[in-house]
Amino acid sequence: MRAGKPRVFVTQPVSAHALKRLRTAANVTVFPDTSRIIPKPALIKAVRQADILFCLLHDLIDRDVIDANPDLRLIAAQSITPSNIDVTTATARRIPVTVTAPLTTEATADLTFGLMLAAARLTRAGKFPGGQSAHVMGAYVWGKTVGLIGGGGLIGKAVARRALGFSMRVLYWTPRRKSEHEEREAHLTYVPFEQLLRESDFVSVHSPLNKETRHQIGARELRLMKKTAYIVNTARGPIIDEAALVRALQKKQIAGAGLDVFEREPKVDAALKKMPNVVLTPHLGSAVPEVREAMANMVVDNILALIGGHKLPNCVNPQVFAL
């Protein structure tokens, strides 16, 4: 690293306490606008002037961004997975990539259950026909069946705990079934994938995004769901084929959807915005102050470890140090 304090670029304002800690060891520049994702040309320009990039979940750190600075020393992401980072290119350039520990479990589970409730009961018709009018009717959540796709992980189990409070039957499917002890402890019932889709009143997506899970839910899977069922996604947008979902909603193949993530973020399909049976939030799974504070400070921990010559605590490509 060059002489003097390293230069760190932060793609959006984060925790003031975390930035204060970071400034004790680095010269820090922050893109000031919290209302939008930094445009790619501005990001590339900033990376050229930085030793370390502090990026957020929504930032696309692709080959163009990484190639902008051959001397970049670290990509430190405020995200529990590097799904928007070209880790292969970073590794080839011997650039370590760090993430955070899974701190978003309870906040994301809160939002998942909130979307489930909202999709079942809210309307955007702009009318108030009376509290007991038959003009606007929702769906019960109490006592219904929720199916968790990829639901054996931390967030799926947290959703299951909330579902128990609503006397719901909790089904789950994952490629690697959990032990009987884990299932019993979490009150999860394992069923095959197609059975989950057929029997669930609410299908909640919790799969990680990878080659196998991209479009895991498409036209065929949506046809298997009940016409009265709702789908909720707080995982990653591309797990659902968004075009197929729009068609299924338009044809009333399913009752509705609650979506926090989208296939082409930050773009949201215009049809989804207009549907009265769809509830949308802009990727807010971790959007509570306590979680964001902890995540930002964990990113700073990673950066300070690099600056201090210590082992990086949350590195996803540690092989770069052996290259």
Side-chain angles (χ1 to χ4, degrees), residues 50-129:
D51 300 302
I52 296 168
L53 174 61
F54 182 148
C55 58
L56 306 188
L57 169 69
H58 51 243
D59 298 311
L60 179 60
I61 312 303
D62 60 11
R63 181 184 292 270
D64 294 337
V65 174
I66 295 169
D67 285 349
N69 184 353
D71 297 320
L72 194 65
R73 299 298 302 273
L74 174 66
I75 299 170
Q78 187 176 291
S79 169
I80 62 174
T81 65
S83 54
N84 269 348
I85 300 172
D86 185 345
V87 177
T88 300
T89 295
T91 302
R93 302 287 188 276
R94 300 182 65 182
I95 301 170
V97 176
T98 60
V99 292
T100 70
L103 304 171
T104 64
T105 299
E106 300 300 338
T108 304
D110 278 354
L111 181 62
T112 300
F113 215 83
L115 285 171
M116 193 185 306
L117 289 165
R121 296 299 298 272
L122 296 184
T123 178
R124 292 189 291 167
K127 298 178 181 179
F128 194 101

Side-chain angles (χ1 to χ4, degrees), residues 5 38 40 44 49 66 99 103 117 122-123 125 131 145 152-154 158 160 202 222 225 230 235 237 249 287 306:
K5 285 186 175 183
I38 183 172
K40 186 172 182 178
I44 287 175
Q49 303 301 316
I66 295 169
V99 292
L103 304 171
L117 289 165
L122 296 184
T123 178
T145 296
L154 294 174
F202 297 88
L222 291 163
M225 290 173 60
Y230 297 80
L249 289 164
L306 182 85

Side-chain angles (χ1 to χ4, degrees), residues 211-262:
K211 291 179 181 178
E212 288 72 34
T213 63
R214 185 174 292 273
H215 287 192
Q216 185 177 46
I217 304 295
R220 175 182 172 276
E221 290 73 26
L222 291 163
R223 283 195 298 270
L224 291 174
M225 290 173 60
K226 298 179 181 180
K227 288 188 175 182
T228 55
Y230 297 80
I231 191 162
V232 174
N233 189 7
T234 56
R236 290 291 183 269
I239 296 171
I240 297 179
D241 181 341
E242 207 163 89
L245 176 61
V246 168
R247 290 192 298 271
L249 289 164
Q250 289 172 336
K251 295 177 181 178
K252 301 189 185 302
Q253 289 178 353
I254 62 173
L259 305 173
D260 183 52
V261 290
F262 307 92

